Amino acid sequence: MVRVGEILYTNVHPFFFYMDREALSAHSRFIPSIPARLNDAMANGEIDVGAISSFAYGKQYEDLILMPNLAVASHGPVGSIFLFSRAPIEDLDGKSIALTHSSATSSHLLKIILRRFYGHRNIDYTTMAPVYQDMLENHDACLLIGDDAIQANWREHEQMYVYDLGERWYHFTRMPMTFAVFAMRKQSLAEEPQALQALHDDWKKSEERARADGYEELAHAVVADHGGNIPFWQDYFKTLQHQFTRVEQRGLLHFYRLAHEEGYLPNHVDRLSVWDIGMGIHSIH
Ligand SMILES: C=C(O[C@@H]1C=C(C(=O)O)C=C[C@H]1O)C(=O)O
């Protein structure tokens, strides 16, 4: 039985929407949660495969293999990772920021952006539950991701400065940012290659079908659960990149370089180990 981590956010829906869960249930059990919890579950060996924060792969890259061509990335604005701030971003040095406890990638991305690109060295960070009002009660700004960020952006941000971290990253690096990767444990790949291939193929097929449909059917389903309107969700999915090609990989390796230089990752992750299905493992530098 393969234990599969399923991120609870809409941003991964294209992979899951058309999956044949009944056929997959013969060998797979789905475990839905927020990214930070799935990152821990992967590190502790409680899941075998699934989408995790790209930062979590960087922490554990020696034990993990990446699934080919699956990711949650953006080339510019991502639409669901926002810093909501009372002050302009240029003025945040010496201030305090509340970070959602759901994230690993975006929280470090924010720190990197503020240190490297704005030169802010004195920010006080607190990690807490993603509740907008609570986060801003005692802090000058807050970082939300996923559906929490989308909902807060709809509801709350009057009088606030709102920054999209995908956009800020692109502005300074001209590179895409990869927020989530699909990773599996080396040991699970050795034990269950066929089940993992079936999962990979279903994720890829689902994503391709959703994209070919212009995300219309998927957007209908999301409106029913989350509100908003159909064009909003279609645009959201079209803005996100769900492929993991050379250009996303280079952007991710650059993120790992900066994360190491700033002391957030103990090792310099200078390669990605990607499964070349049927062929072995490919090292990408
Ligand atoms: C695009 C997003 O990416 C998510 C951000 C993550 C993180 O910050 O650790 C993890 C998984 C991704 O699904 C989002 O949350 O909106």
Side-chain angles (χ1 to χ4, degrees):
M1 189 55 77
V2 176
R3 299 155 304 167
V4 186
E6 177 174 0
I7 293 182
L8 274 171
Y9 296 145
T10 308
N11 63 57
V12 299
H13 276 18
F15 296 110
F16 288 88
F17 192 61
Y18 294 110
M19 275 191 125
D20 188 348
R21 287 184 193 252
E22 205 163 307
L24 291 169
S25 70
H27 53 67
S28 301
R29 183 160 62 85
F30 290 87
I31 299 162
S33 197
I34 55 170
R37 212 155 295 133
L38 295 174
N39 300 341
D40 288 346
M42 184 68 89
N44 300 334
E46 291 158 17
I47 59 171
D48 299 294
V49 63
I52 58 170
S53 301
S54 55
F55 185 83
Y57 173 80
K59 267 169 73 177
Q60 232 203 317
Y61 70 109
E62 275 154 341
D63 307 322
L64 301 177
I65 306 290
L66 295 172
M67 287 224 161
N69 210 12
L70 308 175
V72 180
S74 77
H75 294 222
V78 49
S80 54
I81 301 182
F82 296 126
L83 178 73
F84 299 91
S85 178
R86 292 206 177 91
I89 195 165
E90 294 79 9
D91 299 341
L92 280 175
D93 211 13
K95 301 272 198 307
S96 72
I97 301 182
L99 304 170
T100 170
H101 68 193
S102 313
S103 162
T105 300
S106 309
S107 49
H108 289 98
L109 177 63
L110 176 65
K111 291 178 181 177
I112 289 170
I113 288 173
L114 293 177
R115 277 178 79 93
R116 287 293 278 241
F117 306 143
Y118 290 94
H120 297 344
R121 309 220 145 238
N122 297 303
I123 293 179
D124 181 31
Y125 292 102
T126 306
T127 301
M128 56 191 288
V131 182
Y132 181 90
Q133 300 295 352
D134 295 353
M135 295 172 102
L136 286 171
E137 200 175 297
N138 296 310
H139 301 93
D140 302 295
C142 72
L143 174 71
L144 290 172
I145 71 166
D147 297 307
D148 302 322
I150 293 173
Q151 300 283 342
N153 199 39
W154 283 345
R155 275 195 328 256
E156 309 274 7
H157 66 274
E158 255 166 72
Q159 321 270 330
M160 298 296 276
Y161 296 88
V162 183
Y163 300 95
D164 180 310
L165 294 202
E167 189 281 327
R168 286 291 83 193
W169 170 259
Y170 187 80
H171 175 85
F172 289 107
T173 64
R174 298 282 141 194
M175 286 185 171
M177 178 64 204
T178 298
F179 301 98
V181 291
F182 282 68
M184 54 203 158
R185 303 176 61 77
K186 266 186 189 160
Q187 198 189 331
S188 311
L189 180 56
E191 288 166 6
E192 301 266 15
Q194 274 152 7
L196 288 167
Q197 181 169 352
L199 274 164
H200 169 272
D201 293 353
D202 255 41
W203 276 324
K204 195 70 231 164
K205 268 191 253 157
S206 177
E207 188 274 314
E208 283 170 353
R209 187 170 158 193
R211 183 151 37 101
D213 180 45
Y215 304 101
E216 197 175 325
E217 195 179 5
L218 173 56
H220 275 87
V222 175
V223 167
D225 289 344
H226 295 271
N229 58 51
I230 288 155
F232 170 84
W233 289 108
Q234 284 181 288
D235 278 354
Y236 175 60
F237 291 121
K238 284 179 190 168
T239 302
L240 290 174
Q241 299 289 317
H242 291 105
Q243 292 90 275
F244 192 47
T245 67
R246 187 76 194 120
V247 56
E248 288 86 26
Q249 291 163 356
R250 283 182 45 195
L252 183 57
L253 285 166
H254 186 56
F255 172 70
Y256 288 146
R257 170 184 293 281
L258 299 187
H260 175 59
E261 287 174 6
E262 296 300 335
Y264 303 130
L265 280 176
N267 295 316
H268 177 205
V269 182
D270 60 354
R271 62 174 195 279
L272 307 170
S273 303
V274 182
W275 190 22
D276 196 350
I277 297 176
M279 307 291 283
I281 309 300
H282 232 80
S283 230
I284 312 253
H285 294 267

